[in-house]
Amino acid sequence: MNIQEIIDFDALQRVQDSFTKATGLAAITVDFRGNPITKYSNFSSFCEKIRKNPKLYDTCLKCDAFGGLEASRREGVFIYRCHTGLVDFAVPIIIKGRLIGSMLVGQVKSSDDDHENLEYITSESLGWKEDEEILKELEKVPVMSYEKIAAVADMMFHVINSMVEKDITQYVQEELRAKDQQLLDQMKIQAELEKSLLTKQNQFFRLLVNPNFLFNAINTMSCFAVIEKAPKTQDVILTFSDMMKYLITSYNSLVTVEDEISYMNLYLKLQKIRFGDRMHISIDIPRELRTIKIPPMIIVALLDNAIIHGLEPKEGNGTIIVKGYAENEDFICEVIDDGVGISVDKINSLMKEQGVSEQDNQFKGIGFRHVNFNLRLLYGNDYQLEIAQNRKGGTTVRFKIPMESNGGAAHV
């Protein structure tokens, strides 16, 4: 953690300058290595001359660093003598148990004989005592009682801690806001990508089934069926034509439940030709719920899965119930079959967000995964598909649509 990222240095400099003017002491704030991070405040000419000597300046930096470390170890103010014998004290700046800097205050002589034994933070320097100019400056250094030094140190400890506590709170809040905004931006980008992917998928599907080419081919087949006197074949072709019109006209819009049921009846008409009396379908959706808008092909896709993967492998007859009802503020639709069923492991695999591989996917084409993708994109993760085993065999696939959504909007 960097002290420059947390503390308001302009405010700190103002506090430091005001403090030194009021007390007559000198002060500077340093990082944990002893390097200055504020300007000197009220420095004595004695200390300025001492620090002009490169060797003595290095010793001053060591005093500053050691003073801060010792104050950190004691978790409070540390009063000591610097290498020239002046009294200083260190106010530690500690965040989450880690020393990030210190305010060093002092450059005074103690007037109390009782505290002549204050410990030196480093070895005492002696060479400077031969310099008469420096000795003259030493005579100008202010004298202060130890009691006053201790009281001033305690006051400064509380001032610094209050400042840091306020700054760290603001720093943490700004970091959280930045991370929240970053997360929102990522979610928005993801939603836009998913929406774009869905649009591209639908556009690609439409290109595969070119309307003009498709209906020309259907008309040709229908004419041949009439010429060859094959009314059942003609009926199948016309049914298929109506199905394609529904697919093409509703591919990128929402449809009513009634429209979906109409398409479902066309689809079942073709399946009846294939399965005959083996298949029994029941549609139980009240009239008052049939005006609700839903994504197209959603019920039919689940019905198709129930027929192909539930009833087709089953020996004998099979039944599928398509049930719709209101629950709370949602429209609920269930596709229930009494087919061969699906294992718990397969259900868990299908319900995973990443889906299953193409080689191991029972629900291919525009089936389970496509329906689930559309539901989550339009209404959010709370509206994804649910799959469950039936107690008496078979499978129930369930989805819900918020009725107040007026058809839904892309979920961001």
Side-chain angles (χ1 to χ4, degrees):
M1 189 178 292
N2 195 329
I3 189 171
Q4 282 91 346
E5 296 176 349
I6 300 168
I7 295 178
D8 183 343
F9 282 111
D10 290 337
L12 179 62
Q13 186 71 57
R14 289 194 296 270
V15 169
Q16 182 180 291
D17 291 343
S18 298
F19 169 75
T20 56
K21 286 179 182 178
T23 61
L25 297 168
I28 189 171
T29 303
V30 299
D31 63 18
F32 71 95
R33 293 187 179 92
N35 298 314
I37 57 175
T38 60
K39 298 176 182 177
Y40 298 128
S41 297
N42 200 35
F43 250 49
S44 66
S45 56
F46 169 78
C47 288
E48 287 177 353
K49 288 186 177 297
I50 287 288
R51 293 193 178 218
K52 286 180 180 178
N53 183 310
K55 187 175 180 180
L56 294 177
Y57 177 71
D58 287 341
T59 307
C60 288
L61 292 183
K62 287 180 182 179
C63 287
D64 294 343
F66 293 164
L69 289 172
E70 183 62 21
S72 173
R73 188 183 69 81
R74 300 186 183 200
E75 298 183 350
V77 173
F78 173 54
I79 303 174
Y80 59 92
R81 290 189 186 278
C82 73
H83 65 103
T84 64
L86 297 186
V87 178
D88 291 333
F89 62 83
V91 178
I93 303 173
I94 303 171
I95 296 176
K96 295 182 179 179
R98 179 180 172 187
L99 177 71
I100 63 169
S102 307
M103 178 175 282
L104 304 171
V105 185
Q107 298 183 7
V108 294
K109 299 174 187 175
S110 173
S111 62
D112 302 329
D113 293 337
D114 293 341
H115 295 92
E116 287 298 319
N117 293 324
L118 266 175
E119 61 183 292
Y120 280 83
I121 192 69
T122 62
S123 300
E124 184 180 5
S125 298
L126 302 174
W128 60 270
K129 292 184 177 181
E130 299 173 359
D131 189 322
E132 292 186 6
E133 191 174 334
I134 292 179
L135 289 175
K136 287 181 181 178
E137 297 300 334
L138 179 61
E139 296 297 323
K140 301 176 184 178
V141 171
V143 179
M144 187 177 291
S145 69
Y146 181 86
E147 183 180 2
K148 185 174 180 180
I149 293 172
V152 169
D154 185 62
M155 179 197 72
M156 204 60 201
F157 176 78
H158 292 296
V159 170
I160 290 294
N161 273 280
S162 296
M163 282 187 63
V164 171
E165 185 177 349
K166 179 181 177 182
D167 288 342
I168 190 64
T169 300
Q170 183 177 351
Y171 172 78
V172 170
Q173 288 175 344
E174 288 175 356
E175 269 203 335
L176 288 174
R177 280 195 293 270
K179 288 179 179 178
D180 286 344
Q181 186 60 51
Q182 186 179 16
L183 179 60
L184 287 173
D185 291 342
Q186 289 175 346
M187 290 174 65
K188 186 175 181 180
I189 291 170
Q190 182 180 354
E192 290 297 329
L193 288 174
E194 289 179 347
K195 186 177 179 181
S196 176
L197 175 61
L198 178 61
T199 301
K200 295 298 182 184
Q201 285 178 334
N202 287 328
Q203 289 174 348
F204 179 70
F205 178 74
R206 191 182 185 193
L207 289 173
L208 289 177
V209 189
N210 184 280
N212 293 328
F213 172 80
L214 179 65
F215 289 120
N216 286 337
I218 289 174
N219 287 334
T220 301
M221 288 186 286
S222 179
C223 289
F224 274 115
V226 172
I227 294 170
E228 295 174 356
K229 297 181 180 180
K232 288 186 178 179
T233 302
Q234 185 186 26
D235 189 30
V236 169
I237 293 170
L238 293 176
T239 300
F240 179 71
S241 175
D242 289 338
M243 292 175 66
M244 289 300 100
K245 287 177 183 177
Y246 177 82
L247 284 176
I248 292 168
T249 57
S250 65
Y251 80 99
N252 67 345
S253 60
L254 297 168
V255 298
T256 63
V257 173
E258 184 66 48
D259 291 336
E260 187 79 349
I261 291 173
S262 298
Y263 177 77
M264 193 159 42
N265 287 329
L266 293 172
Y267 168 81
L268 291 173
K269 186 176 180 180
L270 293 183
Q271 292 293 352
K272 278 286 187 180
I273 297 172
R274 180 182 177 191
F275 287 94
D277 294 335
R278 277 190 58 202
M279 183 178 68
H280 302 281
I281 307 294
S282 172
I283 299 175
D284 180 17
I285 301 177
R287 289 288 173 187
E288 62 269 20
L289 297 179
R290 295 191 178 193
T291 58
I292 294 171
K293 289 191 173 183
I294 63 174
M297 291 293 295
I298 185 171
I299 301 178
V300 178
L302 301 182
L303 178 62
D304 182 64
N305 282 321
I307 292 172
I308 295 174
H309 306 295
L311 299 193
E312 186 175 356
K314 179 184 178 181
E315 294 183 5
N317 298 339
T319 300
I320 298 175
I321 300 173
V322 180
K323 186 177 181 181
Y325 56 93
E327 183 178 274
N328 296 326
E329 299 299 322
D330 296 324
F331 167 69
I332 311 295
C333 184
E334 296 176 344
V335 178
I336 308 163
D337 70 71
D338 60 358
V340 296
I342 182 172
S343 68
V344 174
D345 289 341
K346 180 62 69 176
I347 291 174
N348 292 335
S349 179
L350 288 169
M351 292 311 295
K352 287 181 181 176
E353 184 175 352
Q354 66 270 26
V356 293
S357 67
E358 288 298 326
Q359 294 78 9
D360 190 36
N361 187 6
Q362 288 190 41
F363 301 88
K364 295 182 179 178
I366 54 172
F368 179 85
R369 286 200 293 174
H370 186 79
V371 169
N372 203 37
F373 177 80
N374 280 359
L375 286 171
R376 292 176 59 198
L377 177 62
L378 289 170
Y379 309 111
N381 289 335
D382 291 340
Y383 288 86
Q384 62 184 340
L385 285 175
E386 299 174 15
I387 309 177
Q389 291 178 322
N390 296 333
R391 194 175 304 173
K392 295 182 179 180
T395 307
T396 295
V397 181
R398 181 177 185 265
F399 71 88
K400 58 183 179 179
I401 300 288
M403 290 191 291
E404 291 185 357
S405 67
N406 194 27
H411 184 77
V412 179

